[in-house]
Amino acid sequence: MGTGTVRTPQDDGAADLGREQRGWYFYDWACSVYSTSVLTVFLGPYLTSVAESAADADGYVHPLGIPVRAGSFFAYSVSLSVIVAVLVMPLVGAAADRTGRKKPLLAAAAYTGATATTAMFFLDGDRYLLGGALLVVANAAQSVAMMLYNSYLPQIAPPEQRDAVSSRGWAFGYAAGSLVLVINLVLYTGHESFGISESTAVRICLASAGLWWGAFALIPLRRLRDRRSTAHMATLPGFRQLAATVRDMRRHPLTLAFLLAYLVYNDGIQTVISQASVYGSEELGLGQSTLIGAILLVQVLAVAGALTMGRLARTYGAKRTILGSLVAWTMTLAAGYFLPAGAPVWFFVLAAGIGLVLGGSQALSRSLFSHLVPPGKEAEYFSAYEMSDRGMSWLGPLLFGLTYQLTGSYRDAIISLVGFFVIGFVLLARVPVGRAIREAGNPVPDRI
């Protein structure tokens, strides 16, 4: 008779969780290509050019009879997508917690977004309204899907594993974004050798992100499983549901305090990401190829940064590691203020600094928040978290724009963002996360 190892129910449970975790990583792998190739690189300039081709002699398009500058159409479409997401996320989050059936909702959001992104292949000529509609649908669906995806974290990872699991998810996402961006850039820069026009190359890049998103979303949808919900709640309309969630959060003031700190420093992070290319082109006089190369460098190094900061969190705790990253963000911006114009090497050094702290800051913030969510309300609370991530990041760009308008200097504008990291540092440092976790009804990890 053999002497094989006897498996216990605990072993089987750990194996099941490991399988779910590996499946969970692949949703980041699936959807991050949309954020990188579509939103960050290709869609903004291309949709603007389509709107300009449809504009009147004064440079205006007229969606629903409203005069809009062609150059502003992309920004307004993004803003509208945020409004749609803010209306839908609380509803979906409450429904997910009430029924315990997150997976069908995740599938619906993911494939709505993937389909809209794939349909961007048909965005040519002067079809700016089609482009705006597809952007609104894809971006809102991405926000809803990410809220549901994030809310799985407390269920698939025990407290001591969440920093590592969250960091690996972000790393998967940045790795996929880097891989597909390289392929897209080969197609875009060599479109003539492939026998296609520049417009067709862009449309292929846009559609390929949707196909990638839909194909790899199958993996998490096969591996993740729903849990029976113990929450009993009514689903309220739009902003009423959001207000109900915020009222519930008031019973957990330390969770709300963390969310406020995250809102502040994440606003700074998102503004740096969105305005770094403007700073590079307008203030430093760098070309498009340099800027795209810098974006790719950020993506690649964010993989290493997320994994490294995940390991640091095991030693020093997530809160201390995030605080350290905010110090690094502050130093990076200060260095950016002094970058010499026309020196791409130093801009790449700045991009490297951003990449190394970007993924880890976001991954550890997500895992730390997961400890502060009351059991049974994961999707509802992560809808508020996702809106802090996507829907509330308006103050930083406003400050950046106002500073430039008043001073005429992009250097002053970039250094003005330091305040977000300093204030975020102070707010986060004041949150007693151990007590916050206990008051949320969760076990406190050895290091947090």
Side-chain angles (χ1 to χ4, degrees):
M1 192 166 175
T3 56
T5 302
V6 177
R7 292 186 62 82
T8 66
Q10 289 81 3
D11 293 331
D12 292 335
D16 289 342
L17 274 186
R19 186 174 186 275
E20 277 195 274
Q21 289 170 6
R22 289 188 292 274
W24 186 79
Y25 301 149
F26 268 96
Y27 189 74
D28 236 326
W29 175 273
C31 72
S32 292
V33 171
Y34 166 81
S35 300
T36 303
S37 288
V38 177
L39 272 188
T40 304
V41 178
F42 289 108
L43 185 58
Y46 184 69
L47 182 55
T48 300
S49 70
V50 172
E52 287 172 346
S53 69
D56 60 22
D58 295 321
Y60 285 85
V61 290
H62 299 270
L64 303 178
I66 303 170
V68 173
R69 282 195 181 274
S72 299
F73 183 73
F74 173 73
Y76 289 150
S77 297
V78 173
S79 297
L80 180 58
S81 74
V82 170
I83 294 171
V84 172
V86 166
L87 288 170
V88 174
M89 277 195 290
L91 286 172
V92 175
D97 287 333
R98 179 171 52 83
T99 64
R101 292 178 57 78
K102 294 179 187 176
K103 194 156 68 168
L105 295 169
L106 175 59
Y111 282 102
T112 297
T115 301
T117 305
T118 304
M120 290 177 185
F121 179 79
F122 301 103
L123 175 58
D124 60 356
D126 59 358
R127 297 178 177 176
Y128 76 95
L129 279 176
L130 174 64
L134 293 175
L135 170 57
V136 169
V137 172
N139 220 34
Q142 160 76 330
S143 296
V144 173
M146 283 301 295
M147 174 265 294
L148 293 165
Y149 163 74
N150 286 337
S151 71
Y152 272 100
L153 181 59
Q155 297 178 342
I156 65 170
E160 67 276 6
Q161 292 183 12
R162 284 185 202 162
D163 293 337
V165 170
S166 182
S167 297
R168 288 189 202 114
W170 277 105
F172 262 59
Y174 281 115
S178 302
L179 174 62
V180 176
L181 185 56
V182 168
I183 297 170
N184 286 341
L185 290 178
V186 169
L187 176 63
Y188 175 71
T189 57
H191 62 85
E192 291 181 352
S193 62
F194 291 105
I196 59 176
S197 67
E198 180 178 342
S199 171
T200 301
V202 171
R203 291 188 292 118
I204 291 173
C205 292
L206 295 173
S208 67
L211 293 173
W212 179 284
W213 186 356
F216 284 103
L218 290 171
I219 299 174
L221 290 173
R222 284 178 63 87
R223 293 194 174 187
L224 292 171
R225 62 183 181 88
D226 288 329
R227 273 81 171 168
R228 185 179 299 277
S229 176
T230 58
H232 300 281
M233 64 190 77
T235 304
L236 304 172
F239 282 112
R240 288 180 61 194
Q241 180 61 57
L242 176 60
T245 302
V246 172
R247 282 196 300 272
D248 188 75
M249 279 187 165
R250 291 173 63 183
R251 298 192 298 111
H252 303 282
L254 296 180
T255 300
L256 202 56
F258 171 81
L259 197 60
L260 175 62
Y262 173 74
L263 189 153
V264 172
Y265 69 73
N266 183 64
D267 199 350
I269 292 173
Q270 297 301 323
T271 307
V272 173
I273 294 170
S274 65
Q275 301 302 321
S277 59
V278 175
Y279 183 67
S281 61
E282 300 299 323
E283 183 68 32
L284 304 181
L286 303 176
Q288 185 69 21
S289 60
T290 299
L291 298 177
I292 293 176
I295 291 171
L296 183 58
L297 179 63
V298 168
Q299 295 290 315
V300 172
L301 290 180
V303 176
L307 295 176
T308 300
M309 288 181 65
R311 286 192 290 270
L312 288 173
R314 288 201 296 269
T315 303
Y316 301 104
K319 178 183 174 180
R320 288 191 184 92
T321 307
I322 295 170
L323 290 172
S325 78
L326 298 182
V327 173
W329 274 107
T330 302
M331 294 171 62
T332 300
L333 285 183
Y337 178 85
F338 295 104
L339 284 186
V345 172
W346 289 109
F347 190 72
F348 278 115
V349 172
L350 181 70
I354 291 174
L356 288 173
V357 294
L358 174 61
S361 303
Q362 295 171 317
L364 293 179
S365 296
R366 176 172 65 184
S367 61
L368 183 53
F369 182 71
S370 74
H371 294 286
L372 308 179
V373 177
K377 296 191 174 183
E378 291 86 3
E380 186 181 353
Y381 271 56
F382 267 106
S383 71
Y385 179 87
E386 190 68 16
M387 282 184 284
S388 297
D389 190 13
R390 296 175 186 271
M392 305 302 178
S393 296
W394 56 271
L395 185 57
L398 177 63
L399 178 62
F400 186 92
L402 286 175
T403 304
Y404 176 73
Q405 182 173 329
L406 293 173
T407 67
S409 168
Y410 281 105
R411 294 184 187 273
D412 291 341
I414 203 75
I415 203 67
S416 71
L417 301 178
V418 165
F420 288 96
F421 298 102
V422 173
I423 295 171
F425 181 99
V426 172
L427 291 175
L428 178 58
R430 291 170 59 89
V431 177
V433 292
R435 182 154 62 94
I437 294 169
R438 282 192 296 273
E439 291 182 3
N442 295 315
V444 182
D446 293 334
R447 289 197 178 276
I448 193 68

